[in-house]
Amino acid sequence: MLRKTSGITRSKTSRKPPADDGAVRVPAPGEGKRGEEGYLGYLLRQAHAAVRLTMERTLADLGVTSPQFAVLTMLNAYPGLSGADVARLTFLTPQTVGVIIRNLERDGAIVMTPHPVHGRIQQWTLTPRGATLLKACRERVIALEKRLARTLDAKAETTVRRWLAGIAADLQED
């Protein structure tokens, strides 16, 4: 519906040990600095990249990208957001959100209404079509989230969620 999906492919990296030709072996995720020895910031970024790629693949046949999913999710949670608000909540640039909003509006997933006081501010909300699309996306993303938390009990998952949210809140003050 929203984008072409032919460009998404799985990496074809080989797991064979490299020949002893003097080349440096790049560690796999979980090894060396890409594992428990790594910097927390790097490990968070590595995890984010893996989740985002998996989400892209999971949503591809629906024609939805992970940034589009984020926009739909925020508009569902907070109807009437402006494009600038959506950009802040989704960690996307205003320009990127502008493109996403135009595409979602073109496809009938969201609709714009002028702000009741500030007429130049555009407020965005999901349409029934957008809510249906988001529901289909959420089913898949919830399955991914269950996969992410499969080794955690409820207490550990709560701890991880608090830790991640706390990082964002604490570092926002810098």
Side-chain angles (χ1 to χ4, degrees):
M1 171 181 156
L2 300 174
R3 69 164 211 189
K4 296 177 185 173
T5 59
S6 62
I8 295 179
T9 58
R10 294 197 181 269
S11 174
K12 304 290 187 211
T13 57
S14 172
R15 293 289 177 198
K16 294 179 186 175
D20 189 16
D21 60 1
V24 175
R25 183 181 158 291
V26 175
E31 296 178 350
K33 291 293 186 182
R34 296 187 73 192
E36 294 177 17
E37 298 172 22
Y39 292 104
L40 284 175
Y42 176 82
L43 295 175
L44 283 169
R45 185 172 171 90
Q46 176 180 248
H48 172 263
V51 169
R52 181 165 176 177
L53 179 59
T54 303
M55 189 178 299
E56 291 283 344
R57 290 174 176 158
T58 299
L59 299 176
D61 67 316
L62 295 174
V64 177
T65 65
S66 55
Q68 289 170 331
F69 172 72
V71 169
L72 290 169
T73 298
M74 290 303 147
L75 290 177
N76 184 60
Y78 311 107
L81 291 174
S82 69
D85 292 331
V86 172
R88 283 188 285 277
L89 288 172
T90 58
F91 313 107
L92 299 168
T93 66
Q95 295 83 356
T96 297
V97 168
V99 170
I100 290 171
I101 282 175
R102 281 192 299 280
N103 290 337
L104 291 172
E105 181 183 33
R106 178 201 65 216
D107 293 335
I110 63 172
V111 65
M112 183 273 294
T113 56
H115 189 279
V117 176
H118 306 286
R120 292 184 63 202
I121 297 176
Q122 299 174 344
Q123 296 180 299
W124 298 96
T125 55
L126 293 183
T127 63
R129 180 180 172 104
T132 300
L133 180 60
L134 178 59
K135 182 179 181 205
C137 292
R138 286 177 66 179
E139 289 171 1
R140 295 172 183 208
V141 171
I142 287 169
L144 173 57
E145 293 223 341
K146 287 180 181 176
R147 180 178 172 196
L148 294 175
R150 73 177 174 241
T151 62
L152 303 173
D153 61 25
K155 184 177 179 183
E157 183 177 346
T158 298
T159 300
V160 169
R161 287 177 180 276
R162 283 186 186 145
W163 179 70
L164 291 170
I167 289 171
D170 181 51
L171 295 181
Q172 182 177 347
E173 297 171 5
D174 289 350

